[in-house]
Amino acid sequence: EAGVTQSPTHLIKTRGQQATLRCSPISGHTSVYWYQQALGLGLQFLLWYDEGEERNRGNFPPRFSGRQFPNYSSELNVNALELEDSALYLCASSGAGTGSETQYFGPGTRLLVL
Amino acid sequence: ELKVEQNPLFLSMQEGKNYTIYCNYSTTSDRLYWYRQDPGKSLESLFVLLSNGAVKQEGRLMASLDTKARLSTLHITAAVHDLSATYFCAVLVSYNTDKLIFGTGTRLQVFP
């Protein structure tokens, strides 16, 4: 069974640009989560999508946004990039949005902002 | 807000030795997860602990949960080099948010 996939694996942008990161969940999973792993800040929760709706977001500014498509894949958009947005962005999926399922993580997209 | 603390942050241990990683959290939660991360890689799920007193074992790793003490432990038995990685505990905030709060991670290095 295929796991969570993410694209691209690496992304290099300059300050002020926009970045789009993509995630495909495990087949049958309806919930998608985004996390940021930045140096020195650890893993931080960004967004949770379930059944196409944004269910919860972490302590991040509005320039971090996303969406979930009818096939449950998801996109994370980061507008007006700042240097401190450089991080590994991890997507996870789970089978139900009730907290009863393990979140399985994808390989991540490493974003570098110059 | 829920805080999750792990210790130690770094652990260098000899092959064959035993050691325990501790994960403390600040508010009530009944779901605790342990993940492993190899350098440059994503997170691999190790254990899900669902209730007080839960104990799970896989190979040389054993995880336990004490919800009253708000403490989980990850015990390593007779460490081998392949266990070298960073280990994270993560606590579920609540069912409605599905938000995982991660600990700082424990970087484990096992040497011969």
Side-chain angles (χ1 to χ4, degrees):
Chain A
E1 180 185 284
V4 178
T5 58
Q6 291 186 245
S7 64
T9 53
H10 293 81
L11 192 55
I12 300 175
K13 295 283 186 179
T14 55
R15 284 179 61 188
Q17 285 189 314
Q18 180 198 36
T20 297
L21 289 62
R22 296 180 178 83
C23 171
S24 290
I26 291 171
S27 177
H29 285 187
T30 60
S31 279
V32 170
Y33 312 81
W34 288 94
Y35 292 86
Q36 183 197 64
Q37 188 175 29
L39 266 178
L41 293 177
L43 271 152
Q44 296 186 81
F45 169 80
L46 253 169
L47 288 159
W48 168 33
Y49 291 95
D50 181 58
E51 297 286 356
E53 302 279 335
E54 182 182 301
R55 302 294 185 183
N56 196 22
R57 67 179 291 128
N59 240 4
F60 283 84
R63 58 191 185 82
F64 286 84
S65 65
R67 52 183 172 163
Q68 187 178 33
F69 299 99
N71 66 354
Y72 303 113
S73 67
S74 177
E75 219 172 64
L76 173 68
N77 294 294
V78 189
N79 294 319
L81 284 164
E82 299 178 3
L83 296 178
E84 50 265 34
D85 296 334
S86 295
L88 178 66
Y89 288 84
L90 292 166
C91 169
S93 75
S94 75
T98 61
S100 62
E101 301 284 344
T102 297
Q103 295 181 20
Y104 295 93
F105 284 79
T109 292
R110 197 165 292 277
L111 172 65
L112 178 61
V113 182
L114 302 174
Chain B
E1 185 173 293
L2 175 66
K3 287 190 181 349
V4 182
E5 292 181 353
Q6 270 181 254
N7 68 84
L9 295 182
F10 298 98
L11 180 53
S12 184
M13 56 190 296
Q14 198 171 17
E15 278 189 332
K17 298 291 187 184
N18 304 331
Y19 209 83
T20 300
I21 299 170
Y22 297 88
C23 174
N24 288 92
Y25 52 100
S26 60
T27 62
T28 302
S29 174
D30 288 330
R31 295 283 187 272
L32 190 136
Y33 302 80
W34 284 96
Y35 287 90
R36 167 182 171 146
Q37 186 177 37
D38 290 292
K41 305 285 187 181
S42 188
L43 296 167
E44 175 192 348
S45 174
L46 293 174
F47 301 108
V48 181
L49 301 169
L50 303 178
S51 60
N52 188 42
V55 176
K56 290 202 175 174
Q57 182 162 6
E58 179 78 31
R60 300 174 189 275
L61 300 177
M62 184 173 72
S64 66
L65 177 63
D66 180 344
T67 57
K68 291 177 184 172
R70 297 176 190 159
L71 170 70
S72 179
T73 61
L74 181 66
H75 187 72
I76 303 153
T77 302
V80 293
H81 179 70
D82 283 353
L83 290 179
S84 298
T86 299
Y87 293 85
F88 291 94
C89 65
V91 177
L92 189 72
V93 175
S94 79
Y95 294 108
N96 289 334
T97 70
D98 251 24
K99 179 163 73 172
L100 286 180
I101 304 295
F102 281 83
T104 48
T106 296
R107 187 169 172 184
L108 170 67
Q109 182 151 17
V110 181
F111 60 92

